[in-house]
Amino acid sequence: MKKVLFFFFALVTCIGAFAQGRCDFSTFNNGELDKSNNYITCNNDEGWQATNCMVVAGWDNSSQVEPNGYHNNLYGDNYNTISALVLTGKLNSEGKLTSPTLNGGCGKLTVNYGLANFSPNGCSIHVTVKQGDKPIQEFDIEEKPFEKNTAYTFEKDIDLAGDFTLEFRNNAPSGNLTKHRDRVAIWNIEWTGYGAAAKTVNSLAEL
């Protein structure tokens, strides 16, 4: 009976450790597209904050008008729903996306992104993983050349226990103070929970 209880505890713990989280892009700016192509500051329903970002939608490749600044099939085929954020690379007004406090730790971080528009110096997004106000890990997501109509995937093992926050900031590699350059679209951010409990399963199996 004890072994059964131990196995049940280990199984529940393991399931909890590998829970997954994802940013909900559809509720930024109250779910309303800003068709004036403005770079705005807004939140989603989960408390993520987008600063100097454009809210954009997908394109179905058929009866709709040609894609423009706020429609692209990279973001999916839903023409009327916010599907992605474009982080501007205008220097001193860089696009930024910041999470609320996220629970359960972070195992693997996955980001899907692509070229939103003109980006002569490629993609460069700085990512900071924090606990409280303290940066725990910092790294860059970079692509050069940064190809049009191409979906990119970035994955990294964070392996961090405890509550944390994520911040994504455009590094503005062109250094342009007057124009929106180096724009990067992000349409998926997801993470697995911290996986240390898998070791607990192994140790319990030895009892």
Side-chain angles (χ1 to χ4, degrees), residues 141-195:
I141 300 174
E142 295 185 314
E143 295 288 347
K144 190 173 182 180
F146 198 25
E147 303 291 346
K148 249 182 122 176
N149 301 317
T150 302
Y152 294 88
T153 298
F154 173 88
E155 293 183 332
K156 184 175 177 64
D157 291 324
I158 304 299
D159 291 332
L160 180 67
D163 296 347
F164 67 101
T165 59
L166 296 169
E167 180 184 284
F168 301 82
R169 178 178 52 80
N170 196 319
N171 278 326
S174 293
N176 197 304
L177 285 164
T178 59
K179 295 182 179 179
H180 295 288
R181 293 286 185 258
D182 312 317
R183 290 172 278 190
V184 179
I186 299 177
W187 58 86
N188 183 56
I189 299 169
E190 60 184 76
W191 59 95
T192 58
Y194 179 63

Side-chain angles (χ1 to χ4, degrees), residues 29-103:
N29 198 38
N30 297 315
E32 296 179 6
L33 288 170
D34 182 354
K35 296 187 178 182
S36 58
N37 286 7
N38 288 327
Y39 288 86
I40 61 175
T41 294
C42 61
N43 290 5
N44 75 353
D45 288 353
E46 301 166 326
W48 287 71
Q49 183 177 67
T51 305
N52 297 325
C53 292
M54 186 191 302
V55 292
V56 294
W59 182 53
D60 69 0
N61 285 327
S62 60
S63 59
Q64 310 287 3
V65 298
E66 288 295 313
N68 49 42
Y70 53 87
H71 287 287
N72 194 303
N73 58 6
L74 283 177
Y75 323 141
D77 60 5
N78 196 323
Y79 195 77
N80 298 306
T81 301
I82 294 170
S83 305
L85 293 172
V86 175
L87 283 63
T88 181
K90 184 178 179 182
L91 193 63
N92 294 336
S93 301
E94 299 92 344
K96 185 170 69 172
L97 177 59
T98 308
S99 78
T101 298
L102 304 170
N103 309 120

